[in-house]
Amino acid sequence: MYPFGYQRIDTPQALKAAQQRQRGEADKAVSYLAGGTTLLDLMKLGTLAPAEILDINGLAHDYGDISWADDELRLGALVRMSAAADHPRIRSDFPVIAQSLDLAASPQIRNMASLGGNVLQRTRCNYFRQTGWTACNKRQPGSGCAAMEGVNRKHAILGVSDHCIAAYPGDFGQALVALEARVDILGFHGTRTLPFHQLHLAPGSEPERETVLLPGELITGFHVPIGPWTRRSLYLKIRDRESYEFALVSAAVAMHLDDNVIRDVRIALGGVATKPWRAHEAEQQLIGRRPDLPAFEAASKVAFAAAVTRPGNRYKVDLGQQTLTRALLQLAEMEV
Amino acid sequence: MAETAEGVIGKDVARIDGARKVTGAASYGSDFALPDQTYAFLVTSTIARGRIRHIDETAARRVPGVIGIYTHRDIAGKVKAGKLMADGGYLGTSIQPLTSPDILHDGQIVAVVIGESFESAREGAYRLDVAYERQPASASFDDASVETVAASEASKTHEDPKVGDAETAFQQAALRIDVSYSTPTQHHNPIELFTTLCHWSDGKLTVWESSQNVWGYKYGLAEQLGIDPNDIRVLSPFIGGAFGSRGSLTPRTAIIAEIARQLGRPVKLVPTRDQGFTIATYRAETRHHVKLGATPDGKLVSLSHEAWEVTSRPDNYMVSGTKATTRLYQCPNIYSKVSITHADRNTPGFMRSPPELPYLFALESAMDELAVATGIDPIELRRINDTQVEPIKGLPYTSRSLMACFDAGAKAFGWHERNPKPGAMRDGDWLVGWGCASTMYPTAVAPAAAKVRLMPDGKAIVQTAAHDIGTGAYTVIGQVAAERLGLPLANIEVQIGDSDLPPAPVAGGSNTTASVCNVVAKACDRLRQQLFQQSNAASATDISGMPLDAVLNDLPKDGIEAYAENLPHGTTQEGIGKLYHGHSMLAGGSELKDRIQFAFGAEFVELRIHRLTKEIRCSRLIGAFACGRIVNPRTARSQLMGGLIWGLSSALHEETEIDQASARYYNDDLAEYLIPVNADVREVEVIFVPEEDKAINDLGIKGLGELGNVGTNAAVANAVYHATGFRIRDLPIRLEDLLAVES
Ligand SMILES: Cc1cc2nc3c(=O)[nH]c(=O)nc-3n(C[C@H](O)[C@H](O)[C@H](O)COP(=O)(O)OP(=O)(O)OC[C@H]3O[C@@H](n4cnc5c(N)ncnc54)[C@H](O)[C@@H]3O)c2cc1C
Ligand code: SF4
């Protein structure tokens, strides 16, 4: 860890002032601090070295609420993972959100970590996390990618590039992508709202750029539309051990089933892609069909048709298909 | 008084140090702090082979609070490399960093930055600029430039057990199993990091460091630093996990001691988790080729076990588990051979059940394959080949209750309900698999010394430089003293983990309870004898049952003291001399001339494997163990239960992944190096099968600390086969292995 400046931001005014200052010092690396479960880890490792930290936990009364409108669920960026996961109405009306949070990390981390921080967590690629590895385009643009020929069992097979195959590690992001959530972003010039799936960038030739956020921009919350598919939704996470581990593969799925016909379906995949990944083609396969095994298997194949694998993660194609099939089977059988 | 104490040995009593542990009063290695102490942070190499070309200290020196940077330029010539324990030394590696600019493995210490605070030292370390001249490094077996030699060539003392003509018998056998297995690299990862605190005062060195071998450390350090061992004291009262990683001295200790000497201030080092992967030892990967020949009714006629182990370039470290696998079953023709492969790695070392865990995985998996081939139930197959005499030299086991363990375990597990057909047992979407395997662990006992002092108030102090690595040594030592002296357990104070105390052996090879309890019993008996003879309170004929009350009043103010040494079966007086030079002369297992000493057990595993996604979950673990006299069923149960869980972990979870191109460890943190979490451990049952072994030592104690985690990996692999019909021969077993065989 390197020395850094620290400032508490307790009011929107203080935030605005800080954002203004940042505009004047464009070169200075400034990071927001929420739960700190990603940021402090990486600072201790020396991977991240912000010159200044702006502690936004004081903004919880502005951006820390769970609320409901007729047609949507609103989640403040400073809502803790555990608070959203334990919320009775989220549990009943948005099972995929509650489960994606429940199955993530550990109780201690979920009590600490915020939803805003969660969607911005960094990859678990150890070539990125440990500065002793020299080749990592994400940490050191242009330095190469050690994972290509190295240990890549947990790396991505969708949305990869020749420059980076790091998997997006989070779970909650898949639920947001599947449900077509929107994200509120507050910059110096005011608020903008984006479809959540536009927040993250695939690595392309610039793996160091992970999101469209501009310096100083703050995520303030998420809107999740309520639809006829939200109650019939679930999150299936496959991993080597029963708890406290990132997904090898996960599926966030939601379905509107009417008269035993799939009217609408949403599929997002985790653990296999470089960003929260929506499987549109697979969805298209299913719409209008009966919810049966052949349909699910066919859709699962389509979902991984574009996979690009390395020796260590080749199994993820097969596992991904099985995971999605299993998730869809479970989904069709859900009592709602 | 005597009444309260009777039967303390064998009683289920709580740990006498339990309250200190849960209240935080127990100080572990990392808890110690001294006024005026400085903080060390290590810089470790990012290459596995080559040389340091240049070190630029400018930026590091500028960090406020950094007061020193030590590299080979400061340490070379001041600290000597030591010899491996197996070669009669005290160290876990002969690679002594900072003695030259050469790099022999990933994560080798290249500099130590000293700061007034931990934070300044760390920042200084991060800012130290080390440039390397990098050479190609070989990571493991399949690398082009590794060098493989027969163990018998590498070591004069190595023996490859053999009898009869295994190859001919194999060729002629009705049934043949000819298979290969492998086990991965694993690291101990004790929760307490590899901390060291060194302080010099009047030319004398005190070291606070969690150690399984305080006398060994004292002598090893004396050699490395070129000072008198009597000027060194090593303190290790509580140990935050060890598993073998603190049995031999690691190079860091002498380096920190030397820096403290140069600096004239205490130095405290708390390395990071990832540094622990390379500055200490680990379990190296192994490969096995097993051939079993049998008659149609399951009788073994040929057993061959060939194995390969990885070690570092300079050291011949090896575990040679064929000592055990050639002796588990009756068989007239046996062949074995061990080879070691030198790669550009740090030197491996003892890790819980070093030989047995990898080697029994191979044999006990192969036995299951033979059971399938013969159509004989795996337990019955073991009964058919059971023996009370080891097959290599024809020596008798002092006791062996393997089949009694299988019978007790099978009953508790409900084994008779098993449908032997693979894939036949199901629970909804989950395939259910049941597997079992044998475990065995040698009972070795070492010379030890102890002192007991009885005070006029009826309290007694036991002193011996033994170690409690979390196993409950404090408590069992206390129990033995309480019973032998005829005092309540609460009156016994146990002092261990200090090299100023009478020497005890390394806490390794599961010998502590047997070695130390026997010598403490002896010291107590001697004390009673002295007491009653002096006080004329009784004739010397039967003093063992006499209450102490009568004589306490006559004691001098500072009490009386007795000292004893114990030479277990198979050791000589020379063993005491060695003990007083920090060497543990363990005797037992298969190394005795007249008999063989092992503890045995049978382990049962129930798995559930999802039919689509193939994740493997363990729903039940049962182990039945026969290990002589159980001094404390509570601590023994914990030990065996922890062993079973670790066995499960070694089958399904633990693997240190290596980046092949650079020969560096990849997943060197506890987020990526997996061990089971609570949710992975559903039901664990430990069964003690009663066993009396009067020959093994006076108290009839066998070691059990390492018995629990052996065989579990094979039981898991056998259960995977039973659930799916697929035999996975390479650990850890992961869902992709099952997906791959299916597609
Ligand atoms: C051992 C371990 C296991 C884990 N397992 C899982 C798992 O299984 N699944 C899973 O999904 N996650 C897992 N996590 C990740 C964890 O969920 C994230 O670390 C956490 O959600 C991040 O939230 P935080 O509030 O602590 O973020 P912080 O660490 O405070 O911030 C993370 C990043 O986001 C930025 N940031 C934070 N809030 C905002 C905001 N409102 N606007 C703009 N930028 C912001 C910060 O500057 C920083 O760059 C695990 C973490 C650990 C340490
Ligand atoms: S996969 Fe991405 S993060 Fe990992 S080493 Fe390659 S470039 Fe770096």
Side-chain angles (χ1 to χ4, degrees), chain B residues 438-452:
Chain B
S438 307
T439 170
M440 70 193 299
Y441 195 84
T443 296
V445 194
K451 252 189 226 166
V452 179

Side-chain angles (χ1 to χ4, degrees), chain A residues 31-39 41 56 77 81 104-105 109 113-114 116-118 120-121 170-171 217-219 237 244-246:
Chain A
S31 279
Y32 292 120
L33 173 74
T37 62
T38 287
L39 185 64
D41 265 25
I56 54 173
M81 287 171 75
I109 290 173
S114 68
N118 183 288
L120 296 176
Q121 64 181 284
D171 293 303
E217 279 192 322
L218 183 83
I219 294 180
K237 182 172 179 182
Y244 203 17
E245 197 197 354
F246 292 92

